[in-house]
Amino acid sequence: TETVRMLGNIFKYSSRKVESLAKETYWSRGPFQLGQAALQFRAQPALLNLEAQRGKTDNYLRDDLVERLNKGDVVFDIV
């Protein structure tokens, strides 16, 4: 059923360690209305995003993102 599939996805993706918020791909689950059209989007990291540093603290995702933003823009391609 749909519930079993969704739970499988939750377990699959929650067990993966996130390296950096700037290196993750984000997408809209549902469509957005833009004028007369409805669309879904995916934001994937641009090649400009620097390599991530391995997390050493509980706040490593925040620390990494703050460090990146202090150096410049974090860029995503919308597809």
Side-chain angles (χ1 to χ4, degrees):
T1 69
E2 183 69 6
T3 303
V4 172
R5 184 192 67 77
M6 290 171 67
L7 284 173
N9 284 339
I10 289 170
F11 289 123
K12 177 181 173 183
Y13 292 111
S14 65
S15 63
R16 181 178 69 81
K17 179 134 174 127
V18 174
E19 191 175 304
S20 169
L21 295 175
K23 294 186 73 173
E24 289 293 299
T25 298
Y26 302 93
W27 62 92
S28 62
R29 173 107 177 152
F32 288 84
Q33 184 171 354
L34 183 62
Q36 296 296 319
L39 60 94
Q40 290 178 289
F41 71 89
R42 184 176 69 197
Q44 60 190 36
L47 296 177
L48 302 174
N49 293 345
L50 305 172
E51 288 299 314
Q53 308 224 349
R54 293 288 173 194
K56 296 179 177 128
T57 68
D58 289 341
N59 292 322
Y60 75 95
L61 292 174
R62 178 194 178 281
D63 297 341
D64 174 71
L65 190 58
V66 167
E67 183 179 333
R68 287 171 185 276
L69 291 171
N70 283 332
K71 290 179 181 177
D73 295 333
V74 174
V75 181
F76 289 86
D77 295 323
I78 305 295
V79 293

